[in-house]
Amino acid sequence: MLTEIQTFTMTPLRSAALAGVAFALLATTIPAKAQETDWPTRTVTVVVPFAAGGNTDIMARVASQKLAEDLKQPFVVENRAGAGGAIAANYVLQAAPDGYTIFFAAAPQIAVLPHVQKVNYDPIKDFTPVSAFGTGPFILAISSENPAKTVAEFVASAKGKKLNYASGGTGSVSHLSGALFVARSGIDCAHIPYKGGAPAMTALLGGQVDMYFGNAADIIPFVDSGKARIIAVAADKRMSQLPDVPTVSETYPDFSLSSWNGFLVSSKTPKAIVDKLAKYAIAAAKDPAVVDKLHKLGVEANGTTPAEIAAQIAREQPQFDLAIKAADLKQAQ
């Protein structure tokens, strides 16, 4: 009888205790779940490491507009140019790692800058790659006054001469592409850096330099007008916009310096936010209207996962290392 009474009175107590445990467990999961579903609840700042108007800036604005539409919160682009992108990178890392300050980076901030000068960040340990949004291959242009139609013809005509090549700045992908080409081809060609792609292109058109690796957006308009000629693309495969133009790799194998742009965040950012940003960034890059806008810039839309962009960064680093060596840039100590 006593056993029956004990059983009767203890069962509700056990039930209450179990209910308390269940509630406690539920309470601990609520913040993470809310974080996953609620972010963003206010304005997100997208930090661009270059001045307004360039390819990176334009891509950041295209991406930000789409993210704002889909996530129902403002995504505001903030340009923080200087020190090759180190200023922007440090700014992002100094902000709270809560997903409200994100980095729309370019390959040089990860693959080049930390290897040629002292910076206050570790590109691998301090940042989490989220998604590559678009890749704009650099294309090799020469003056239309030069009769060469192919890489082989250009190199043959350059033998025994002293030439110059332009870039959008020391340490830029433009510079590294030119340096690697000079090293692989064996021509005598000096580097002339300019403050951006537009003045570099102007120098090519004016005859101050003999060749220039630049963005398609900087070069194609002048090709269409007959003032310049494209002889190769520094990419793994031919561009859909220029299907008849061969890659440099067709003459010099394994010649490709990817000029990707995409989202990175502080490595301290919660995974739930990283995953959600990646999900929407991937969707944005695959949106037909966005793909069309990027195509007109000479940019291939990507939309890679965090794992894919991390693997891409690791895979491409050896090629950047070769280009850094070819450019004789001082390695960071």
Side-chain angles (χ1 to χ4, degrees):
M1 189 68 166
L2 180 60
T3 303
E4 291 177 353
I5 293 173
Q6 286 176 328
T7 304
F8 177 78
T9 56
M10 291 176 67
T11 300
L13 290 175
R14 289 197 184 99
S15 298
L18 289 172
V21 171
F23 179 79
L25 289 172
L26 179 61
T28 61
T29 62
I30 285 175
K33 199 68 177 178
Q35 182 185 66
E36 179 184 357
T37 55
D38 290 349
W39 178 89
T41 59
R42 55 185 172 86
T43 300
V44 176
T45 299
V46 180
V47 180
V48 173
F50 304 114
N55 258 24
T56 300
D57 176 71
I58 294 172
M59 277 191 271
R61 294 179 189 277
V62 170
S64 296
Q65 181 181 357
K66 182 59 178 170
L67 289 174
E69 292 173 0
D70 293 346
L71 288 165
K72 311 302 180 187
Q73 291 292 340
F75 277 68
V76 179
V77 172
E78 186 172 317
N79 300 90
R80 289 188 170 267
I87 290 175
N90 289 329
Y91 180 80
V92 172
L93 292 177
Q94 289 168 6
D98 54 10
Y100 289 96
T101 305
I102 59 182
F103 194 17
F104 194 82
Q109 284 86 59
I110 303 301
V112 180
L113 199 62
H115 300 272
V116 301
Q117 70 182 54
K118 282 290 186 181
V119 295
N120 294 325
Y121 65 91
D122 185 306
I124 305 303
K125 294 180 180 178
D126 292 337
F127 284 105
T128 293
V130 179
S131 181
F133 186 71
T135 298
F138 274 61
I139 55 183
L140 174 55
I142 61 175
S143 170
S144 58
E145 295 182 3
N146 189 313
K149 299 293 194 299
T150 66
V151 168
E153 289 178 0
F154 176 75
V155 171
S157 68
K159 295 294 185 181
K161 299 178 182 177
K162 290 186 178 294
L163 306 181
N164 296 319
Y165 71 93
S167 82
T170 300
S172 64
V173 176
S174 172
H175 174 202
L176 297 180
S177 297
L180 189 60
F181 181 85
V182 169
R184 295 288 298 275
S185 64
I187 63 176
D188 186 354
C189 197
H191 173 226
I192 308 295
Y194 292 87
K195 293 182 178 179
M201 192 65 201
T202 299
L204 178 69
L205 298 175
Q208 284 84 43
V209 296
D210 300 284
M211 70 176 205
Y212 167 55
F213 275 93
N215 290 313
D218 293 335
I219 295 174
I220 289 178
F222 295 101
V223 173
D224 292 341
S225 66
K227 296 179 180 179
R229 180 180 303 114
I230 298 171
I231 59 173
V233 179
D236 292 325
K237 59 183 180 180
R238 295 191 181 193
M239 292 176 62
S240 59
Q241 299 93 330
L242 303 168
D244 297 328
V245 177
T247 65
V248 179
S249 295
E250 292 176 43
T251 303
Y252 303 109
D254 300 321
F255 189 109
S256 176
L257 295 178
S258 175
S259 53
W260 58 262
N261 290 95
F263 292 103
L264 280 74
V265 295
S266 165
S267 58
K268 298 177 182 177
T269 305
K271 186 176 184 298
I273 294 177
V274 173
D275 290 343
K276 187 170 184 180
L277 175 58
K279 174 184 175 182
Y280 281 87
I282 291 168
K286 297 183 182 300
D287 179 80
V290 169
V291 172
D292 183 61
K293 289 178 182 178
L294 296 184
H295 186 270
K296 290 176 180 177
L297 288 173
V299 174
E300 179 185 357
N302 296 147
T304 59
T305 66
E308 287 170 340
I309 184 175
Q312 179 181 348
I313 289 170
R315 183 176 65 251
E316 293 174 349
Q317 191 60 55
Q319 185 82 331
F320 275 103
D321 291 340
L322 288 173
I324 289 169
K325 183 177 181 180
D328 196 25
L329 293 176
K330 184 179 180 181
Q331 293 284 336
Q333 299 299 317

